[in-house]
Amino acid sequence: MTTNCTAVESNPSVGNKRPRSERMGVKVSVKWGKEMYKDLEVDTQEQPLAFKSLLFSLSGVPPERQKLMIKGALVGDTEWTPKTTPKEGATFMLMGSAEQLAVEPPKNLPKFLEDLPEAQQQHMETRAYGAGLQNLGNTCYMNSVLQCMYAVEPLREALKHYTPSAAAMGPTMDPITKLVVSAKSLMRELENGGEPFPPFQFLLTLRQTYPQFAQQSQEGFYSQQDAEECWTNLMYAIREKAKDASGKSVVEDLFGIGTTLKLKCEESDEELQEHATSYMLRCNIGSATNHLHEGILLGLRDDREKMSEKAGRTCLWKGTSLITRLPTYLTVQLVRFFYKVDTQNKAKVLRKVSFQHELDVYDFCAPELREALDGPRAAYKAYQDRRIQQEKEEKNAKGRAAEAASNGSNGSNNEAPEPSGSGQEQQQQQQGGGDVAMGEASGSGHEGAQTGKFELVGVLTHKGRSADSGHYTAWTKQADGNWVLFDDDVLHIKKGDDILNLSGGGDWHMAYLLIYRAITVPKGA
């Protein structure tokens, strides 16, 4: 292969540059293996290293590796000798291997879905929502509880920052601390998302802490357990250990429901009050219970036999609990299981009990709490009304704009109708958008206050006719508005309408635990 090259200027780092007219150049050829470089210009007033640099650019052989010869004489780097000084048309012989350039593989290459392993491809769509948990033998009750707890972000964050005291660490760590530490580790794994994994360590710790979850059948298989019992025991463990900066229990702050029970004796008219903190409302299901609201009212009733000092004997006392403190997250249990004496097992109430995505507990609150809620509820309603009105005006404006565009395209000379509202209102909409304008125009002073309304964010369901069998699953609402069904190690994306079908009445999944999040007065309301 022959290459014709035009002379190049010398390397500024080698020798001194002089005007081209003063340079003394001759045309030479260089043979390197099968290559022949012709018409190369050599300036013998410069050091040979300059010529070697030119050869490096052509052959890739670094100057320090070059063995350049002419008529048997070896060319040095610093000067041309009488034997090595070339004449016009001379031929040099070049020996040496070209430098192999180290090529680093590109970093941060884009990953395409089809290039990933099949196991990872299956979970890419749901990776942002967490990970599934493998069933380790009738452990769907535990998996569902953990997925519902994972949906409560403040609880997840509290576990993430939980660190046992130095005294609690070590081989003598108590079982409750071990369980909370194990829950912390598991929540971290769920947060990574991706492929499902087996929660071996957590299951082992749960059974060591609460031996009832290690119960086995006569055949030696681990028995199905009640998810509500698992939820309650795990919440108790976290309540005892996880504290905020002020030393207050995180569970009590997030889930604690303050109640006052007023009891009255039917015979003596005696009255008494009991104050308590509970962590769950119960929806009792009677023969006339059709809606969650009705069942909660039944659950707040408390009729009991109690000693009466005036009557001197045990009498019937009747009363109702009223809520005095609202939690950030409200848990409601639909009491679907009861013990059946004749069969000596837990039977299930299949009756349909409807519920909605929003729950209003105002009617269950004590008078003092209702009074405190009135202001925030009014501010929240006014905020909603303004939003609805704004959306209506925006829709009308789009309709008028479309009509005007249609008239213009048809060659009509009719002017577009003036938008409704004052010029100042139009300017506010153009400058800041609806929410900003609403915030500037109102400011009720109730921002962040509770309204007594709650939004559904999690449902734990049971499918089957007995608590000792069947299957539990978790349905949780995500930040993007989607619902995700966690069926052990399989995740399915669902719609909001699918959740309302979990009300019971058949053999399909039916709600057993409902997790609601408090609706507060938004900023600017």
Side-chain angles (χ1 to χ4, degrees):
M1 180 177 179
T2 303
T3 305
N4 293 325
C5 301
T6 305
V8 296
E9 292 187 1
S10 61
N11 191 327
S13 64
V14 182
N16 297 319
K17 296 181 69 175
R18 295 177 284 108
R20 185 177 294 271
S21 60
E22 297 181 8
R23 298 183 188 180
M24 298 181 65
V26 293
K27 295 291 185 68
V28 299
S29 298
V30 176
K31 181 174 176 57
W32 176 57
K34 295 181 180 181
E35 297 281 351
M36 176 66 79
Y37 302 109
K38 292 185 176 182
D39 297 329
L40 302 183
E41 184 176 318
V42 181
D43 187 352
T44 56
Q45 297 300 315
E46 291 186 337
Q47 295 179 358
L49 189 57
F51 184 57
K52 290 185 176 182
S53 297
L54 170 61
L55 295 179
F56 172 52
S57 67
L58 296 173
S59 65
V61 181
E64 62 271 16
R65 293 187 189 174
Q66 292 180 17
K67 187 176 182 181
L68 187 63
M69 304 180 69
I70 182 171
K71 294 183 179 180
L74 185 64
V75 180
D77 290 339
T78 58
E79 61 179 354
W80 296 100
T81 65
K83 289 185 178 182
T84 59
T85 302
K87 295 180 180 180
E88 186 74 23
T91 299
F92 286 89
M93 182 70 68
L94 173 64
M95 290 180 286
S97 58
E99 185 178 50
Q100 297 294 327
L101 298 177
V103 181
E104 294 185 3
K107 298 179 180 179
N108 301 321
L109 283 175
K111 293 183 179 180
F112 298 96
L113 182 60
E114 58 270 19
D115 297 331
L116 295 174
E118 185 175 350
Q120 292 187 23
Q121 292 183 30
Q122 296 175 355
H123 307 288
M124 286 303 295
E125 186 181 12
T126 57
R127 185 183 185 89
Y129 305 135
L133 295 172
Q134 295 174 4
N135 194 314
L136 303 178
N138 282 335
T139 58
C140 58
Y141 70 93
M142 179 192 75
N143 291 347
S144 301
V145 165
L146 291 170
Q147 296 291 5
C148 284
M149 288 188 175
Y150 179 78
V152 181
E153 185 176 357
L155 180 64
R156 191 167 75 231
E157 289 299 312
L159 284 172
K160 184 188 298 185
H161 296 97
Y162 169 69
T163 302
S165 63
M169 298 296 288
T172 59
M173 182 185 295
D174 66 278
I176 297 293
T177 301
K178 284 183 181 179
L179 183 61
V180 178
V181 170
S182 182
K184 170 183 177 177
S185 176
L186 187 138
M187 291 294 169
R188 186 169 58 247
E189 289 187 74
L190 288 175
E191 200 167 29
N192 292 333
E195 298 182 47
F197 60 91
F200 282 120
Q201 184 58 46
F202 182 84
L203 177 62
L204 178 63
T205 309
L206 177 69
R207 287 172 174 167
Q208 290 175 344
T209 308
Y210 299 109
Q212 65 265 36
F213 297 112
Q215 181 183 1
Q216 297 181 359
S217 65
Q218 294 180 349
E219 294 79 14
F221 299 109
Y222 284 105
S223 303
Q224 177 70 285
Q225 300 294 332
D226 190 330
E228 183 273 329
E229 293 179 7
C230 181
W231 173 280
T232 300
N233 281 283
L234 184 53
M235 277 293 184
Y236 170 79
I238 300 174
R239 186 185 75 198
E240 291 298 303
K241 299 300 178 180
K243 311 290 182 180
D244 60 17
S246 63
K248 185 178 180 181
S249 168
V250 172
V251 169
E252 184 173 348
D253 184 53
L254 291 174
F255 296 90
I257 309 168
T259 59
T260 295
L261 171 62
K262 294 183 178 181
L263 288 171
K264 183 176 181 178
C265 180
E266 291 286 289
E267 298 183 27
S268 63
D269 291 335
E270 292 173 276
E271 294 184 356
L272 59 87
Q273 286 189 2
E274 294 180 358
H275 303 283
T277 298
S278 58
Y279 299 91
M280 183 182 294
L281 290 182
R282 284 177 167 77
C283 170
N284 289 342
I285 304 175
S287 58
T289 305
N290 297 310
H291 191 270
L292 183 67
H293 193 277
E294 299 167 345
I296 293 177
L297 280 176
L298 283 177
L300 291 172
R301 292 180 186 173
D302 191 342
D303 298 344
R304 64 175 75 170
E305 290 187 345
K306 185 178 176 66
M307 184 66 183
S308 169
E309 293 183 3
K310 287 186 178 180
R313 64 179 185 276
T314 301
C315 300
L316 178 63
W317 296 65
K318 291 187 176 182
T320 300
S321 291
L322 294 174
I323 298 174
T324 57
R325 178 194 178 273
L326 292 174
T328 305
Y329 285 84
L330 178 66
T331 308
V332 182
Q333 178 198 5
L334 286 85
V335 185
R336 290 198 172 274
F337 300 118
F338 65 96
Y339 188 75
K340 214 171 181 180
V341 179
D342 54 347
T343 59
Q344 295 187 352
N345 63 4
K346 286 183 179 179
K348 184 177 180 181
V349 179
L350 301 177
R351 183 179 181 84
K352 180 178 180 178
V353 179
S354 63
F355 57 90
Q356 300 299 322
H357 286 283
E358 186 176 297
L359 174 64
D360 191 347
V361 300
Y362 183 82
D363 294 339
F364 311 141
C365 296
E368 299 80 9
L369 181 54
R370 291 187 193 179
E371 184 177 352
L373 292 173
D374 286 340
R377 288 170 72 86
Y380 182 66
K381 184 178 184 306
Y383 173 82
Q384 288 182 307
D385 291 343
R386 291 195 298 272
R387 289 290 298 269
I388 293 172
Q389 181 62 29
Q390 177 189 334
E391 290 173 1
K392 186 185 298 184
E393 290 177 358
E394 289 177 352
K395 184 177 180 181
N396 292 338
K398 289 180 181 178
R400 289 192 295 269
E403 183 180 355
S406 177
N407 291 337
S409 64
N410 293 331
S412 172
N413 293 326
N414 296 334
E415 294 183 359
E418 286 290 329
S420 61
S422 66
Q424 183 178 1
E425 291 174 347
Q426 295 174 31
Q427 185 179 5
Q428 285 180 346
Q429 291 181 2
Q430 293 172 358
Q431 290 179 350
D435 289 352
V436 177
M438 283 190 296
E440 293 173 351
S442 53
S444 62
H446 295 293
E447 293 180 3
Q450 292 216 17
T451 61
K453 299 174 184 284
F454 289 80
E455 172 193 12
L456 186 65
V457 295
V459 183
L460 191 150
T461 62
H462 179 266
K463 182 180 180 181
R465 292 181 174 264
S466 171
D468 299 327
S469 61
H471 183 58
Y472 289 99
T473 56
W475 312 59
T476 65
K477 188 175 184 180
Q478 306 301 316
D480 59 5
N482 283 327
W483 281 84
V484 176
L485 163 62
F486 291 86
D487 188 352
D488 285 331
D489 56 343
V490 181
L491 280 64
H492 303 279
I493 297 178
K494 296 292 182 178
K495 298 179 180 179
D497 292 342
D498 297 326
I499 307 305
L500 300 182
N501 294 329
L502 304 174
S503 54
D507 290 329
W508 180 241
H509 297 280
M510 58 186 70
Y512 184 38
L513 293 179
L514 302 173
I515 298 97
Y516 286 90
R517 181 176 57 213
I519 297 175
T520 58
V521 179
K523 185 177 181 180

